[in-house]
Amino acid sequence: MGSLAAISPIHSSTILVMTELLETEEKQHRRIRSFVLRQGRLTKGQERALEMGWPQFGINYSEHLLDLDQIFGRAESGKILEIGFGMGESTAKIAQTLPDYDFLAVEVHTPGVGSLLKLIQEQVLTNIRIIQHDVVEVLQHMLPDNSLDGVHIFFPDPWHKKRHHKRRLIQAEFIKLLCCKLKSGAYIHVATDWQEYAEWVFEVLTAELQLKNTAKDYAEKPSYRPLTKFESRGIKLGHGVWDLVFVRK
Ligand SMILES: C[S@@+](CC[C@H](N)C(=O)[O-])C[C@H]1O[C@@H](n2cnc3c(N)ncnc32)[C@H](O)[C@@H]1O
């Protein structure tokens, strides 16, 4: 646990309440989550970005269906969901590269939300909105069926140990839920640097009858996905990265 004294009173209490709520819920409903909330420290810049940017670019979690055209202020754009954006560097780069698409970015980690809000404001990006919540519940309660043109899941936590595999985000049930939200022809793009997780994701996506692989097995890295610093370092050390791109039939 990091020192709470280093975080502003507003954010430290928000983080504490969120952690307690999630832990109580997990105990009550025994639903296994794909993340553990860390007591991340907010930089001053992230804190400012949260205060200034959340009212414009944040969407509070609620159990009401979203109207994606309305929240982005346009109907003609493609709508992409990004799950677990981390610090948001890739999200911001992709949103800049693809101005005809709108990005609904979901993450639970507060410093990550602050970091992406900072990038949005610095780069004057208009095609990103953020929800800070468990994506499983966002899919269950907020996203209409047949509403998405694509889903990005970049470097999801691999949960290496066998006893933690149940925490992996990508599971048959989760993919079925995700498929309901995809339009016909829409894609799911997963990237991972953990070979055993790549094989797991390949099996789960292949077993879902609503999906079709766009490649024989793993896909070439689509050009819109930027190389992260971490990934470039890994590639130099000879580590692999696997991209999987499947479409809804
Ligand atoms: C290993 S990080 C990868 C971050 C980023 N995509 C990247 O490529 O650097 C995985 C992220 O997914 C987030 N995450 C995991 N499960 C999630 C869930 N159920 N809902 C929302 N975010 C989740 C975690 O908080 C974490 O930031």
Side-chain angles (χ1 to χ4, degrees):
M1 295 270 164
S3 156
L4 281 177
I7 307 174
S8 82
I10 300 170
H11 294 307
S12 61
S13 57
T14 311
I15 293 167
L16 264 183
V17 169
M18 279 190 70
T19 313
E20 279 165 15
L21 274 175
L22 283 169
E23 281 174 358
T24 315
E25 238 189 289
E26 209 168 89
K27 273 182 209 143
Q28 279 172 358
H29 300 292
R30 301 194 182 280
R31 192 161 79 65
I32 312 288
R33 294 186 187 275
S34 57
F35 59 90
V36 174
L37 274 185
R38 290 155 283 147
Q39 296 287 2
R41 193 187 269 217
L42 287 172
T43 64
K44 282 265 172 282
Q46 290 165 358
E47 212 173 297
R48 211 171 317 115
L50 274 163
E51 278 161 21
M52 307 281 294
W54 185 261
Q56 193 178 350
F57 301 105
I59 296 170
N60 292 320
Y61 173 75
S62 79
E63 298 198 350
H64 292 109
L65 277 186
L66 286 175
D67 178 338
L68 293 179
D69 291 344
Q70 191 237 317
I71 63 167
F72 287 101
R74 55 181 183 171
E76 66 283 8
S77 52
K79 303 290 189 285
I80 309 291
L81 171 70
E82 179 169 356
I83 300 175
F85 57 78
M87 300 308 274
E89 295 102 334
S90 296
T91 321
K93 278 193 193 145
I94 298 175
Q96 196 159 48
T97 313
L98 302 175
D100 294 337
Y101 286 83
D102 290 322
F103 297 86
L104 183 63
V106 180
E107 174 56 68
V108 288
H109 191 47
T110 309
V113 173
S115 165
L116 180 54
L117 283 169
K118 190 162 177 287
L119 293 171
I120 291 174
Q121 291 165 89
E122 282 167 359
Q123 297 173 26
V124 201
L125 299 171
T126 56
N127 55 343
I128 300 177
R129 297 292 179 276
I130 301 176
I131 301 179
Q132 183 174 11
H133 200 78
D134 183 348
V135 75
V136 175
E137 289 172 5
V138 172
L139 287 168
Q140 286 168 339
H141 300 295
M142 295 184 83
L143 279 177
D145 289 351
N146 300 306
S147 60
L148 296 173
D149 295 279
V151 178
H152 295 170
I153 311 176
F154 299 151
F155 304 97
D157 300 290
W159 292 104
H160 307 107
K161 293 183 182 155
K162 196 154 196 235
R163 70 171 194 279
H164 287 149
H165 284 181
K166 57 181 182 292
R167 286 198 176 272
R168 286 180 168 175
L169 178 70
I170 297 177
Q171 310 277 352
E173 202 187 331
F174 175 75
I175 293 300
K176 210 167 264 315
L177 174 62
L178 201 50
C179 279
C180 298
K181 310 299 166 186
L182 297 179
K183 296 177 188 166
S184 172
Y187 67 89
I188 299 179
H189 176 185
V190 182
T192 179
D193 57 356
W194 188 254
Q195 185 171 5
E196 190 262 322
Y197 196 24
E199 289 162 8
W200 166 293
V201 175
F202 179 80
E203 270 177 38
V204 174
L205 297 184
T206 304
E208 174 50 63
L209 298 176
Q210 298 174 78
L211 294 174
K212 191 170 74 184
N213 197 348
T214 60
K216 197 167 114 330
D217 40 36
Y218 299 103
E220 289 283 313
K221 182 183 87 57
S223 57
Y224 58 76
R225 186 175 74 71
L227 278 190
T228 62
K229 271 181 248 154
F230 172 77
E231 188 179 355
S232 324
R233 210 179 315 135
I235 289 170
K236 277 190 202 130
L237 293 169
H239 301 162
V241 171
W242 292 266
D243 285 87
L244 299 100
V245 183
F246 281 61
V247 290
R248 187 176 163 190
K249 291 177 188 163

